[in-house]
Amino acid sequence: MLFQRCLQLGWWLFALVLILPVLAGLLGMLLPAAGYFPALGYHSFSTVAIQALTVTPGLGKMVALSVSTALLSALLSLAGCIALLATFFQHRGLHRLQHLLSPVLVIPHAAAAIAVAFLLSPAGWLSRLVAPLFGWELPPAFSVLNDSAGLGMVLAFSLKELPFLLLVSLGILTQPALRHTLTRQVAVAQSLGYHPVTAFLKVVLPVLYPQLRLPLLAVLAYASASVEIPLILGPDNPPTLAVAILHWFNSVDLTDRLQASAGALLQVVTTVAVIALWLAGEWGLKSWFRHQITTGMRSTGRRGLPIVAGMTLAVFGVAMVTICASLILWSVATFWPYPSVLPNDITTIHWQLGLGQLSGPLANTLVLGAAVSLSAIVLVVLALEAGQSGRSPGFRLDSILFVPLIVPGIAFLYGLVWLAQLVAPKAVWIPVYLSHLVYVMPYVFLSVAVAYRQFDTRYLQVAASLGSRPFRVFYRIRLPMLFAPLMVAFALGLAISFSQYLPTLLAGGGQLATLTTEAVAISAGNSRRLAAVYVIMQMILPLAGFILAWWLPTLLFNPMTRRRG
């Protein structure tokens, strides 16, 4: 009975952690936006915050930049994802591609942005590589870094979104029942003379896209309200709306917080508009696509999609290789004049200096990440077990899972901070812990749910038939057999927690330094070599977590070891 109550409690805690902070944060954003801010002497509702926002110079450009970069990066990522799937569907190269792209997911957005900045800056490695071809003796005056159109932001968003969409698609397509059905239907289409690429477009894509829509909307919401990448790669005058809100929130003039709250409300409207534009475009293309399916053409996309897939792989591969090489070289470079491709000499002094400065932020990052990931694993397992044992309420958790990912973080986090200051103004760790947990739990749930739901329940039935109680069956049978996917989910939780910049900065009030906040801060300075050390450390930490996740199950649950014992 106690175990059943724990399952129900875990289910409700999981749902409340997903919903309550977002609702509380939105409430905390709406009240100041409506002019109610008692701490600043505003005790009644008014339009003062909205008036302050509407007179902001360049407000229209901020919104337009947020909308255009979000739509363009999502469109490029989706096109690349579909081209790769159509070209390599039912090909062994697709699984190699999955293993190749998986590590990119664990790279924090801030680290990816700093790495792209290293590559695209006028004195970056890309410029140095092509300088002999154009006879450049000095860095070029033009650059796509911090350009007004946000092209550098689009590139960085696409580099992060493409692996995410591809891996989510593979997760959908590898579901046993769906894979079996699609494989048979594609075989029938090919027997009727359809090219494999065309068979994918006309058979697989109509089934895949509806299931991919929600993750795609989460990608659009994130790109339209992201702070890390626009802060490093975006234009300064005007910046994107989310970056401007962050500046107003951090302003020494406290009355700017009214403007920030109204801006956060506008950010919600902007994100909704981005999603509405995408859905409108999707609706417009639906009838055209249905017509294409029934035309009987058997070679649609036969030539174009493989070319797009090849270009995507080439751009992605070249970008990743040059980014990694550039980071390593800058982290050990001494004097490196332009246009030399390699530094004059190498040194370890930047690593010694960086590691010495990182001890405090590194400890904060690890403690916070471990606490958040462990809490997320416990709540997710209890919620899933409650669902499996029929102890959950009527609605499925999947329906609320993407709430924190679709609502712009700059909106509800700001409101959450406002409420936290009213309730516990001196608290630092707990607000940061909660804000990280909100973002970590959906990814942990997605990582664990598939393995949990595919678990062979006959093991549980045999144990129960032998007289074991539900808790003993859960503790001695299910948990050990799911140890490997739980460890992978724990490592994923660590990676998501390590990458959180805005929740750490806002919820902690700038008082809690982590690896990511320090990396973004150092990237704004002039020490490119020290920034390279910080970025490499950001990449190494999540990778080390995944290596441990893959290694520990073989160490602790190796059948050969048990047999010898």
Side-chain angles (χ1 to χ4, degrees), residues 279-502:
L279 294 178
E282 184 184 310
W283 180 81
L285 287 173
K286 187 182 292 182
S287 58
W288 174 83
F289 191 74
R290 283 178 177 170
H291 173 70
Q292 291 296 317
I293 290 178
T294 57
T295 55
M297 296 180 64
R298 285 162 167 72
S299 58
T300 304
R302 175 182 179 180
R303 294 181 179 175
L305 284 180
I307 293 175
V308 174
M311 291 174 61
T312 303
L313 281 181
V315 171
F316 200 88
V318 169
M320 294 311 299
V321 170
T322 50
I323 281 174
C324 291
S326 174
L327 283 174
I328 294 172
L329 285 175
W330 275 112
S331 71
V332 295
T334 55
F335 183 60
W336 195 353
Y338 188 89
S340 300
V341 176
L342 298 174
N344 289 352
D345 202 353
I346 61 173
T347 178
T348 60
I349 190 171
H350 313 303
W351 277 94
Q352 296 173 15
L353 183 61
L355 293 177
Q357 294 177 348
L358 281 176
S359 57
L362 184 60
N364 293 339
T365 304
L366 291 175
V367 170
L368 191 61
V372 170
S373 302
L374 188 60
S375 304
I377 288 284
V378 171
L379 289 178
V380 166
V381 168
L382 290 177
L384 284 170
E385 185 66 21
Q388 293 276 309
S389 60
R391 296 288 175 180
S392 60
F395 65 93
R396 288 170 60 89
L397 287 174
D398 307 54
S399 59
I400 59 171
L401 198 60
F402 283 87
V403 169
L405 304 184
I406 290 180
V407 178
I410 191 70
F412 81 85
L413 284 173
Y414 169 73
L416 201 61
V417 171
W418 188 80
L419 289 175
Q421 287 176 343
L422 291 177
V423 178
K426 294 184 179 179
V428 176
W429 278 88
I430 291 178
V432 176
Y433 165 83
L434 281 176
S435 62
H436 279 220
L437 190 59
V438 169
Y439 283 103
V440 167
M441 282 209 312
Y443 292 100
V444 171
F445 184 92
L446 290 173
S447 176
V448 176
V450 175
Y452 215 92
R453 289 167 178 166
Q454 291 180 352
F455 186 84
D456 192 345
T457 55
R458 289 176 295 181
Y459 293 107
L460 310 179
Q461 293 166 0
V462 170
S465 67
L466 294 174
S468 295
R469 294 186 175 183
F471 175 72
R472 187 174 176 82
V473 173
F474 170 74
Y475 177 69
R476 298 299 299 270
I477 305 294
R478 196 193 284 272
L479 284 187
M481 295 185 74
L482 289 175
F483 185 73
L486 289 177
M487 285 302 299
V488 172
F490 183 78
L492 180 63
L494 285 177
I496 300 298
S497 176
F498 292 164
S499 67
Q500 297 303 314
Y501 170 72
L502 194 61

Side-chain angles (χ1 to χ4, degrees), residues 91 119 121 146 172 190 246 249 253 342 397 438 470 472 550:
H91 191 279
L119 189 65
S121 68
N146 305 120
I172 296 169
Q190 290 180 357
L246 183 66
F249 181 76
D253 184 358
L342 298 174
L397 287 174
V438 169
R472 187 174 176 82
W550 293 326

Side-chain angles (χ1 to χ4, degrees), residues 145-375:
L145 194 67
N146 305 120
D147 64 306
S148 59
L151 295 179
M153 293 164 48
V154 171
L155 175 62
F157 278 132
S158 301
L159 287 176
K160 286 293 295 178
E161 292 166 359
L162 174 62
F164 174 70
L165 292 178
L166 187 63
L167 294 178
V168 170
S169 302
L170 290 175
I172 296 169
L173 294 176
T174 52
Q175 295 176 36
L178 183 62
R179 182 178 58 186
H180 180 66
T181 303
L182 291 178
T183 301
R184 293 172 58 189
Q185 291 178 349
V186 168
V188 171
Q190 290 180 357
S191 69
L192 294 174
Y194 285 88
H195 189 270
V197 171
T198 311
F200 176 88
L201 291 178
K202 297 193 174 187
V203 174
V204 181
L205 188 57
V207 178
L208 171 66
Y209 186 80
Q211 299 187 56
L212 193 60
R213 182 181 289 118
L214 204 51
L216 194 54
L217 297 186
V219 163
L220 282 167
Y222 176 81
S224 66
S226 171
V227 168
E228 297 97 324
I229 290 178
L231 192 64
I232 297 168
L233 298 175
D236 297 325
N237 190 23
T240 63
L241 182 59
V243 173
I245 295 169
L246 183 66
H247 290 328
W248 296 331
F249 181 76
N250 290 330
S251 172
V252 293
D253 184 358
L254 294 181
T255 58
D256 284 348
R257 297 199 173 190
L258 287 172
Q259 188 177 357
S261 61
L265 181 60
L266 180 60
Q267 180 64 64
V268 174
V269 175
T270 303
T271 300
V272 172
V274 168
I275 292 175
L277 283 173
W278 183 271
L279 294 178
E282 184 184 310
W283 180 81
L285 287 173
K286 187 182 292 182
S287 58
W288 174 83
F289 191 74
R290 283 178 177 170
H291 173 70
Q292 291 296 317
I293 290 178
T294 57
T295 55
M297 296 180 64
R298 285 162 167 72
S299 58
T300 304
R302 175 182 179 180
R303 294 181 179 175
L305 284 180
I307 293 175
V308 174
M311 291 174 61
T312 303
L313 281 181
V315 171
F316 200 88
V318 169
M320 294 311 299
V321 170
T322 50
I323 281 174
C324 291
S326 174
L327 283 174
I328 294 172
L329 285 175
W330 275 112
S331 71
V332 295
T334 55
F335 183 60
W336 195 353
Y338 188 89
S340 300
V341 176
L342 298 174
N344 289 352
D345 202 353
I346 61 173
T347 178
T348 60
I349 190 171
H350 313 303
W351 277 94
Q352 296 173 15
L353 183 61
L355 293 177
Q357 294 177 348
L358 281 176
S359 57
L362 184 60
N364 293 339
T365 304
L366 291 175
V367 170
L368 191 61
V372 170
S373 302
L374 188 60
S375 304

